[in-house]
């Protein structure tokens, strides 16, 4: 009998794992449509917050104009500080990682999925927000700058999963590292920025249609910050571990599952127009070298 070498054996396991986890019955358009529906429903909850921030920016500009009108010293200081403001937009950067091979482990069934993943999705409005995703290497990220308004950038990748056993529960556990940076700066106006990493499981029936709504989801808050009056806040990090992400979902025979991971970055500010001005910007660049899916009894 012909025996395989170690590298050939590993390659054969990877080939079989990918054939099992191909997600071939799912339409990429339906997978993206389901995800965008979820995002729209989430965004609807932000409308009141956006309207409030715009009203506050208007009042703060009016108050600042009145305050600075008869105060030449304060007015000149405000103009001088504004000239020091950074004009370059933050670029998305990604952590590096060692090579990981796909495999299936015994016991409670553990499947390790690695890039190339099955789908990508971005939503942004350049140049004030951008999104990026690469299924071949498992990177996804987004950035945003307020620029006198409210802007949001999204970027995500998705894996496909077909159950192997008749276990009742699945657990989606992506291993995510990320780079991030953000800045909020105020001079008589407010600035806000938020950054998040999301993971969600979308359940599709045997006809390829969404079966469970809303999707099971877990969110990691990277930062939430706001500044006012004369204040500056910032933060950054490289190759940060997102922590244990475990999205539990029921397994149904004959169903297929899409495992989405995405970044979300918001920024809103009053812009750099005198007399009241503020600046908000942020960036997250994430890398997922592997996904673990467990099939279990609980």
């Amino acid at each position: 009998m012909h025996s395989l070498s170690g590298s050939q054996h590993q390659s054969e396991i990877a080939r079989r794992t990918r054939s099992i986890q191909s997600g071939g019955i799912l339409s990429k358009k339906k997978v993206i449509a389901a995800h965008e529906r979820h995002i729209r429903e989430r965004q609807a909850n932000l409308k009141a917050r956006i309207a409030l921030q715009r009203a506050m920016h208007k009042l703060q500009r009016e108050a600042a104009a009145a305050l600075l009108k008869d105060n030449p010293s304060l007015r000149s200081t405000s103009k001088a500080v504004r000239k020091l403001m950074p004009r370059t937009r933050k670029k998305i950067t990604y952590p590096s990682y060692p090579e990981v091979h796909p495999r299936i482990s015994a016991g409670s069934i553990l499947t390790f999925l690695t890039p190339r993943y099955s789908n990508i999705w971005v939503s942004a409005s350049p140049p004030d927000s951008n999104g990026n995703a690469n299924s071949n290497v498992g990177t996804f990220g987004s950035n945003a700058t307020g620029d006198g308004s409210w802007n949001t950038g999204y970027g995500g990748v998705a894996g496909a999963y077909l159950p192997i056993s008749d276990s009742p529960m699945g657990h989606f556990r992506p291993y995510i590292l990320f780079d991030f940076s953000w800045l909020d700066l105020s001079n008589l106006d407010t600035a806000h920025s938020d950054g998040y990493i999301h993971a969600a499981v979308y359940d599709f029936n045997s006809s390829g249609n969404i079966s469970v709504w809303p999707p099971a989801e877990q969110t990691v808050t990277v930062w939430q910050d706001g500044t006012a009056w004369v204040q500056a806040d910032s933060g950054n990090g490289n190759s940060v571990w997102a922590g244990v992400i475990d999205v539990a979902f029921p397994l149904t025979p004959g169903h297929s599952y899409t495992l989405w991971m995405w970044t979300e970055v918001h920024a809103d500010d009053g812009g750099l127009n005198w007399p009241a001005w503020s600046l908000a910007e942020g960036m997250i660049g994430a890398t997922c070298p592997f996904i673990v899916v467990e099939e279990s009894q609980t």
Side-chain angles (χ1 to χ4, degrees):
M1 177 181 290
H2 176 66
S3 60
L4 297 176
S5 67
S7 60
Q8 289 174 323
H9 182 67
Q10 189 176 59
S11 178
E12 177 63 13
I13 291 175
R15 186 192 66 78
R16 293 180 182 181
T17 303
R18 293 194 188 283
S19 68
I20 292 171
Q21 306 307 325
S22 64
I25 70 168
L26 293 179
S27 159
K28 286 192 174 184
K29 289 184 178 180
K30 284 187 176 181
V31 167
I32 292 176
H35 185 56
E36 290 182 337
R37 171 188 169 190
H38 182 46
I39 298 300
R40 284 196 302 272
E41 291 179 1
R42 292 171 58 90
Q43 288 175 329
N45 298 327
L46 294 174
K47 288 183 178 180
R49 178 181 167 186
I50 294 172
L52 176 61
Q53 293 301 331
R54 287 174 176 168
M56 288 180 62
H57 287 312
K58 182 176 183 295
L59 291 174
Q60 287 158 344
R61 285 192 296 271
E62 293 173 351
L67 176 65
L68 298 175
K69 181 178 180 181
D70 299 318
N71 194 324
S73 176
L74 184 60
R75 184 164 61 246
S76 62
T77 300
S78 174
K79 289 181 177 180
V81 173
R82 186 184 61 173
K83 292 179 180 179
L84 301 177
M85 292 304 95
R87 298 289 177 166
T88 58
R89 302 179 188 275
K90 293 185 181 298
K91 295 182 179 179
I92 304 171
T93 62
Y94 301 100
S96 59
Y97 60 91
E99 185 179 6
V100 181
H101 297 281
R103 62 187 184 273
I104 298 174
S105 300
S108 285
I109 297 177
L110 297 177
T111 301
F112 288 75
L113 308 179
T114 62
R116 182 174 191 256
Y117 296 130
S118 65
N119 220 328
I120 64 171
W121 170 77
V122 297
S123 178
S125 299
D128 295 325
S129 63
N130 292 279
N132 187 271
N134 188 323
S135 60
N136 292 321
V137 294
T139 58
F140 56 100
S142 53
N143 60 11
T145 300
D147 201 21
S149 184
W150 173 288
N151 292 297
T152 305
Y154 299 94
V157 298
Y161 190 75
L162 307 177
I164 298 169
S165 72
D166 58 359
S167 299
M169 291 299 298
H171 293 267
F172 167 37
R173 298 174 182 142
Y175 180 80
I176 297 175
L177 300 172
F178 64 94
D179 293 351
F180 77 97
S181 64
W182 58 270
L183 170 67
D184 292 330
L185 184 61
S186 290
N187 183 81
L188 309 179
D189 202 346
T190 56
H192 304 85
S193 64
D194 308 335
Y196 310 93
I197 296 173
H198 304 280
V201 178
Y202 294 75
D203 184 332
F204 293 84
N205 61 24
S206 57
S207 298
N209 296 317
I210 198 72
S211 176
V212 176
W213 198 262
E217 182 181 357
Q218 183 175 330
T219 295
V220 176
T221 300
V222 181
W223 80 89
Q224 289 179 323
D225 186 76
T227 56
W229 190 233
V230 180
Q231 182 182 358
D233 293 342
S234 63
N236 64 83
N238 297 102
S239 296
V240 180
W241 179 42
V244 177
I245 298 175
D246 186 344
V247 184
F249 60 101
L251 289 173
T252 303
H255 283 209
S256 301
Y257 300 86
T258 298
L259 315 174
W260 274 108
M261 305 162 281
W262 72 99
T263 61
E264 175 184 5
V265 177
H266 299 295
D268 82 270
D269 59 35
L272 296 178
N273 294 322
W274 192 82
W277 49 266
S278 58
L279 171 68
E281 59 182 10
M283 175 281 294
I284 301 176
T287 297
C288 182
F290 64 90
I291 296 168
V292 177
V293 180
E294 179 183 10
E295 297 186 27
S296 67
Q297 297 300 310
T298 58

